[in-house]
Each structure stands twice: as C-alpha cells, then as structure tokens.
Amino acid sequence: MTEQPHRIDTVRPLRASQVAHWDLEADVVVAGYGIAGVCAAIEAARAGARVLIVERTGGWGGAASLAGGFVYLGGGTPLQRALGFDDTPENMAAFLTAALGPGVDTAKIEDYCAGSVEHYDWLVDCGVPFKETFWGEPGWEPPHDEGLMYSGGENAAPFLDIATPAPRGHVPALADKKTGERGGGYMLMKPLADTVSELGVDVEYDTRIRRLIVDDTDRVVGILATRYGKPVHIRAARGVVLATGSFAYDPEMIDRYTPRLSGRPGAAIEEHDGIGIRLAQALGAELAHMDASEVAVFGDPQMMARGILVNGRGQRYVTEDTYPGRIGQATLLQNDNQAFLVIDEAALEEALATETATPFFRFPPKWVAESVAELEAEMGLPEQTLQTTVDVYNRNAEQGADPLLGKKAEWLRPLTPPLAGYDLRGCTAGFTLGGLRTDLDSRVLHVSGEPIAGLYAAGRCTSGLCAYGYVSGASLGDGSFYGRRAGKAAATD
Amino acid sequence: MTEQPHRIDTVRPLRASQVAHWDLEADVVVAGYGIAGVCAAIEAARAGARVLIVERTGGWGGAASLAGGFVYLGGGTPLQRALGFDDTPENMAAFLTAALGPGVDTAKIEDYCAGSVEHYDWLVDCGVPFKETFWGEPGWEPPHDEGLMYSGGENAAPFLDIATPAPRGHVPALADKKTGERGGGYMLMKPLADTVSELGVDVEYDTRIRRLIVDDTDRVVGILATRYGKPVHIRAARGVVLATGSFAYDPEMIDRYTPRLSGRPGAAIEEHDGIGIRLAQALGAELAHMDASEVAVFGDPQMMARGILVNGRGQRYVTEDTYPGRIGQATLLQNDNQAFLVIDEAALEEALATETATPFFRFPPKWVAESVAELEAEMGLPEQTLQTTVDVYNRNAEQGADPLLGKKAEWLRPLTPPLAGYDLRGCTAGFTLGGLRTDLDSRVLHVSGEPIAGLYAAGRCTSGLCAYGYVSGASLGDGSFYGRRAGKAAATD
C-alpha cells in the first residue's frame, strides 16, 4: 500500500493492493451516463444491485440526448403493427446482415432482432413515448413528432429485394414544442434518467474515469476517477460497465483506425475520446471493426431523391432515394469524398415545397446552368462525363426505370434544364463504430476469447451491430439493448 | 512454481515465476524466420547478442521466400543511380505519403525513406544480389532477372504529379534458371539466412510460439513454445522479437477487421494466423490500421494498360496503367469487387506479344463481340453504360488524353471492335497490412503509448508503412528495415 497519489495520466490498470482507501463503493459502477449507461444502471438496479453512475460532465445525456433519437427496432413492434407494417425478427436480421456488413457479428444481429419487440416494450414501460404516426418521406429525421420512419434504406435498392421493407427507425416523441427545442434523443434519455432516479441509483457528476482497478487475479474491482482534479477510488463489488462512447474525438485513434474521418467528426460529443476502449485494451481486450464509421452527407434527402448524385468523375454511384447515411458512406469511403448533386428546376421547386428536418441543407445551388454541358463545364468535370450520365439517366427515367442503381420509379423523372448544381465535395462528417468486442451479455472479451472478469461494456465504445454499413438508430439501439445486458450481467456477477 | 504443464491453448502471458525450468536460453529470441526475423537475428548477433530463432515450420523463408521479392527502396540507391533515375528521400516520402494513405505514420515514412540507401547497402553487403537492369513495362513483376521496376504506380496518375516518378521496386536477382524455379523472394532470403548461419545464430525449427512469458513487472522475459506438441520454455535475457507475419489466415480476425478479404487470402502463407498480434494484445499492445489490405487482381498488366477497366455499372474507376495492386484495391474495396476488362483485338494482340511475369492471367476472354452494344449486353451491363464509357474514352483517346483518370498517352488508343471482354468480378485476393503499433526502434507500444518492456516486432504482424494503400515491396521493405531495428534494439536492451 502506497501513500503516493496514483498517476491519472496512464490507461494502465491500477492494482487494488495499491489502494489505501475506497472513497465510494457500489455493486455495479457504470462509467458514462449516456444511453448505454442509463440502461445498464436501470437493469442493474432492478436486479438488486447497488449502482453508481460516474459521469464526466455535469449532467446526464451523453451524445444520446443531442441525437435525433432514432432507436432501431423491429421484428413486429407494437408501433410497427399499429401503423400497418409487417416485420419479423428473421426479416429484420436479413436486412441488417446485408446493410451493416460485410463482416457483421451474426450472433449479435440475430440476438438483437429476436429481442427487439421486448426491448421496445421495455422502453415504453420506462416511459419512453412513441407516437403512432409514420413519416414516409425521404429525410434524415421526421420533421415533426412522427414515431416511425425508414432509417436505413430498407425500402431502397438493393435491400428492397433482400428483405421485405419495413420501417424500423423508432423516434421518441418530441417534447411539446412550447417547452423548448428538445429532440428525440432527449425524449429517449429523459424518462430513462427519471427511471434511474426512481430506482435510487447514485450518480456522481463531474467525475471522470481514469483507470480500471484490478485485483491480483486481474479481475476488475473498481475504477480510479477524478473529480475536479482530485482522485476518487471507487470499488465495484460485482462489476464495472464501460459506457463511455466512441473515439470520434481522439485525433490519434482516428488517424490510426479511421483516417478518412480525420478532421470531420460529427454527431458525437467531445467527451468521446475513446477512453473506455483504451482502458480495456490495457487489460488485453479484443477489438473489432475499428475502421467502421457512420458518415453523414450535408444534403437534403428530399432534394437528393429528386436529383442525381455524381462523383468526381461525373458518374452516378449510389441510389439517390436511399438512406442518406448510406450516401455519406459511399461518398467518403468509396468515392474520395467527391459528390455533386444535379437537379432540375421543377424537381427542385417540388423538393423545396416539401417538409424536411434539415432545412439548413437547403442552401442555394452553387451553379445554375442552361444545359448539362454548361453545368458539366462549371463543375470542372471532364467533357461528356456528366452529359452521358444525364443522357442515360433520362432515357431510362422516361421508361420509369433505373437499371444502373435501382432508384424507385416514384423519384424518376428526366432532368430538364435549367439545372441547379450543388457542390457536396468534402461535405461529410461522421463518428466511429468500432470498439471493444463483447459477447451477448456485454462482457468485454479478452483477446484469448474469454471474458475479462468484472468488465462489461456497451454503446459506441464497443463494436455493436455495425461492421461497415450503418442505419440511423443502430447506436441508440445497440447501446440501449446491450446496455441493459451489461447491467443485468454485472449485477449477477 | 507449479509442476503442471502450462496451457498452450491461450494467448495469455505466462508468469516467469511459474516456469520451473528453462529449456533454452538466449539474449534475443526471434519468433519467425521470415524476412523480419532474419534481419532481426543478423543485427542482434552483430550487436553481440546470443540469438535464437524459433521457427514453426521445418525451414527458413516464411512468406518472403515465396514472394516475388520486391524490396521497396529509394531516395537514390546505387541501383537507381546506376540506371539513371533521380530520387531523394523527400521525393520518396512525398510519394509514399500519398500512395500509402490516408493515415500514414509520418514519422515512420520519413525514417524509412531517410534510411533507405543505407538499407540497400546493408542488403548488398549481406550478399543480396541486384542486377543493374530495369524493366519498364507494366507488370506484377519483372519477367526475368531485372533488378528494378516501378512497383507502386509512381509513374501513373495521380502520383506522377505529386512526386517525381522513380522506380523503387528492387528485386534480388533470380537464381540461375538452370537451378530451379526460385523467385526473387528466395534470392533475398537465401543470403540473409546464410549470414545468420555465419554469425552462429541458433535456430530451432518445428518450434511454434504459443505464449509470452513475463516477469512480475510485466517485462517480457521469454516465450513458451511447442515442439512436436511438447512445451519448450525459452528464456530471453534481453528481448523477444515477434516476426510471425500477418493474420491473413485467421478467419475470425479477418471477419473482425478486414471482412472484404474473407475467403480470399493471397500471397501469404498459412502460418500467418495473427499469433504475434494476439500475444502482444494480451499485454495491452496497441494496434493500427487493422482494415488495411494488399489486394491483387487477376489481370495481366500489359493487357489492362491497353484496355479499359469498368466496374459493375460500366464506369471506368481507376487508371489502367497504374500499379495493378492499386487496381485490386479500387476493385475490391471501392467497387464491390466488380470489374470487367474491355480490350480490342489489335490491342490484345499487341499485349499478348509482350513479355509478362503473369502468363497465367492471359486466359481467353469470356466474351468476344462485334460491337460495344453487344459486349455490354453480354456482360449484363445496363444499356448505354458501357457504350457511353467507350464513346467518351475513345473521343479523348483520339486526342491522346484521358481527362477522366489520367492514363498516360502511350496507352491511349480508341477501342475498335471486335472487342474482347474479361470477367474479373470477384477476381481478387489479398493479405492484411494492419497489426501492432511499433515505434522507430520496433518496440511494441502499449495502448498507454509507452513501450512494452522486452517486446519488439517487425514485419506484417505490425502496422508498417501502409495505412490503406500498398506498393509492391512495402512488406519485404518495412519487414527487413524494422526487423533490423528490432534486432539492434533488443540486443542492447
């Protein structure tokens, strides 16, 4: 036992034998009060454990409460059924396997889909409100408080031929507009945080996890945190749950694993510095899919669906009526972050007359041209590239077909000048999806394949459902689902 | 101290206090007798250390001796200068930074380029033969014993505008044709293995590393290996060098990190099961660029340069006269493994009259067609896609230009039917480039950023020069270069 203060500038574990005094103690210690942490805390408390949440900021919420709030659920949830959509766990799994791969964790996909209806009921039981309304238009999010929406390209090529399309983006109802500007993520977190309070869970805010504490058998038995710079030693009698988020804001990890996201973090919070991943790695934890990333493109889906997207060679490369996050990934990861949107005047007017959740993406076009050739030249594309692309598109659109990419007939209409051109080159941002490898009980797996005793993780510090692709709601979805598993498993450890 | 035999089915470290008897002992123990291991052994022995190489198979060589043998060297090597090519370390670094990124380890690139001429001299001093002849044609390798070749697209778009083109693929002379079928990789390994023998380095064949052995301070002090199933405890007084190769043949790691390579391993040997990576991870080692992969496409470069390559949408996507490994990456990673080669009769005849190192890629075309429209239909491409691609290509080729992709004028000639079509869909294979993060002395870095005491690594179990892109010679290049560093550093630990 040492009297020296322990280092807080290393991610190496601290030996319990070095801890002279435990400042706090609980059965289950949850690091991070976002979506994964809140769900872990609820389930651990309900299982009879004394739970302590340690949160680095001054309040609950994490990235979740700033998010749009999609929770990806299906397999026949009450909301899906009430709105007339058929779905089964198998159908949902078929879609997710195709859309989130290559390389998905098949067991996790099947498990998640099989448990999805129960998970919906659990959220509702905790007080999460979903309105029985459906938003069927292209968009990043519903513009109002609609509760259900396509959020992964389920009803677009190629997936509509792989699985029966069903919307699975479940959005907690927005707060009363009068009370403020709270989004769906807040409305997801609020009732869950209220549930945590009702359960008598302790929360220490402004308290930041620094190191894991292990006993002589390498079992995790606590954490070293800091509060206003002072060390706090916290004993976890049963387990520690890491729920500390992604590494989107750690530039070195980004360079090492997802360099295409370098300088373009999006939809995550600055606290997402990868600390949970690094702490577990120091114990020999295995990782997975560290290159996977969500990618947003700064385009309005109502406009994109009605136009065509071309890459830096003037070629179409993604069906424009799909989930816009899929467009973002195809742009950044497969087309060197080069994209142009071309739309004609009539389609643009029609698009601008629709509702959208992203009016800020409806900026004026960079170019307006009287012909495709003129637009092509203004965009700096090689001669005849955009022209032939539009020729082929128009010829097929007249027949109501898109043999190149399978855009649905409802969005196909020949582009007729004058044309507007949008410069979307470099207009992407994203967050990371890779992280700790966990089992179905959210136990952090050692590289040997065995669990690391006493250590659990959920949310974006883990590799969840997504191996490469993304759907909106996957992060709040697997974060909440496997957060619950982590809490349950830790409580009974 | 226990009398029980230690488990060999776990990658967890073994405590030295559990080792009753050391069967073998050396200052520096090198695991793996491929290119990284042989160079580590030479430098460690020259620095005065007693060295023991432990090799799992019955002989030296590893993946290296089966490889084509390119070593990527430049900055003005004697061979480059003798053949009239100007190069500098800065020029080389500018190229590699562009070609191997995004996300290259800048310090490693600069270090490697700065030391490249010295490294060439060192290899020659060890007896590695390079002939003063240059092969300037497109190809995977030189067809004869030429010593120098472009091996990374240095003289193709876009790199020829980023750095002054210089060939850097240095190929050890092939053995006398009379003596057999030995390739450049063998001619690299043979003199190095002879050097090892001359230095009196001990080698234990048929001896497979299973676990690292650590002391109570977590310093690596030896390895547990097996020989014919029997455990062998080997003490390393100064350090252990991991030189165990990639994870191309571990299906679970492939699924977890590089799923696009699943089922298509290439140019690596079955012993490349990621063991060195996993052993170090169990000690908290950091990884980097686990998604990076070399990708070969089964096309003959002489044919590809003279034709056009189109993806599954009939669009050109990569300059056909570049390094074929770059074509492979663009095909697998960015175009869903869909590629067709289109070439006209005259160009095909011209190509087939050239020499090539890959005659097995000169199989007959799948389709022969009297028109582009006919070929397009036979390939199953949407109408007008291939036709417009060929129209635009031909129009520009007549002017000696390729504004779309920058193919050099020497390869530009309008495609004139009859046309041959090759189906290259799914025709790729590759090996992994990600692995342990190491510093410039080849010390394995812990996730804390500090080195893991007593542990070194080089070759494809580490993340070397390549973060995403690849050039032929990068693996034997950084494996030999940082293998030397590992041996030197371990010997003086």
Side-chain angles (χ1 to χ4, degrees), chain A residues 12 256 289 315-316 450, chain B residues 256 289 315-316 450:
Chain A
R12 291 182 189 274
R256 210 169 289 151
H289 300 298
Q315 304 160 334
R316 288 179 70 218
E450 299 154 1
Chain B
R256 208 167 293 151
H289 299 298
Q315 302 161 334
R316 288 179 68 218
E450 299 153 0

Side-chain angles (χ1 to χ4, degrees), chain B residues 51-248:
Chain B
V51 181
L52 170 64
I53 302 177
V54 173
E55 164 60 33
R56 170 175 170 177
T57 72
W60 54 261
S65 69
L66 299 174
F70 281 112
V71 186
Y72 201 87
L73 298 166
T77 66
L79 186 64
Q80 285 182 311
R81 284 186 279 116
L83 292 166
F85 294 101
D86 288 332
D87 197 10
T88 65
E90 295 72 26
N91 187 53
M92 180 181 179
F95 169 75
L96 287 179
T97 299
L100 302 185
V104 294
D105 181 332
T106 307
K108 211 170 251 186
I109 293 272
E110 287 175 4
D111 176 53
Y112 183 82
C113 295
S116 191
V117 170
E118 186 276 339
H119 190 49
Y120 173 90
D121 291 338
W122 184 89
L123 290 169
V124 170
D125 184 63
C126 287
V128 177
F130 297 102
K131 275 208 180 175
E132 279 188 12
T133 46
F134 171 67
W135 179 255
E137 295 292 310
W140 280 103
E141 296 169 5
H144 320 102
D145 59 0
E146 292 86 353
L148 191 64
M149 182 172 164
Y150 285 103
S151 67
E154 298 83 354
N155 61 337
F159 305 118
L160 44 67
D161 295 323
I162 291 170
T164 304
R168 302 191 186 93
H170 288 61
V171 194
L174 303 175
D176 185 332
K177 290 288 185 192
K178 292 176 198 161
T179 67
E181 294 296 312
R182 303 302 197 175
Y186 176 87
M187 290 308 295
L188 172 67
M189 281 299 299
K190 179 75 167 70
L192 296 173
D194 288 346
T195 304
V196 158
S197 296
E198 287 158 19
L199 288 165
V201 167
D202 289 325
V203 185
E204 295 288 337
Y205 291 108
D206 303 306
T207 305
R208 182 170 175 176
I209 187 170
R210 299 288 186 169
R211 300 171 70 178
L212 294 168
I213 300 175
V214 298
D215 69 13
D216 289 341
T217 69
D218 287 341
R219 182 190 169 86
V220 176
V221 295
I223 68 170
L224 170 61
T226 53
R227 187 163 46 198
Y228 304 119
K230 295 275 193 313
V232 187
H233 298 83
I234 307 175
R235 185 161 180 273
R238 295 188 180 178
V240 168
V241 178
L242 297 171
T244 49
S246 79
F247 62 93

Side-chain angles (χ1 to χ4, degrees), chain A residues 379-454:
Chain A
M379 285 176 165
L381 293 169
E383 204 179 316
Q384 289 294 329
T385 52
L386 183 62
Q387 293 180 69
T388 56
T389 294
V390 172
D391 281 350
V392 174
Y393 178 78
N394 281 356
R395 184 179 331 213
N396 288 308
E398 276 161 19
Q399 311 298 320
D402 179 23
L404 196 71
L405 291 161
K407 185 155 79 169
K408 292 188 295 296
E410 64 189 287
W411 305 113
L412 292 168
R413 200 164 58 193
L415 294 165
T416 311
L419 299 172
Y422 289 82
D423 187 357
L424 300 181
R425 291 176 294 186
C427 293
T428 54
F431 57 86
T432 60
L433 301 173
L436 300 171
R437 184 174 172 234
T438 51
D439 70 8
L440 302 184
D441 288 321
S442 300
R443 298 184 294 185
V444 176
L445 294 173
H446 187 267
V447 68
S448 67
E450 299 154 1
I452 295 175

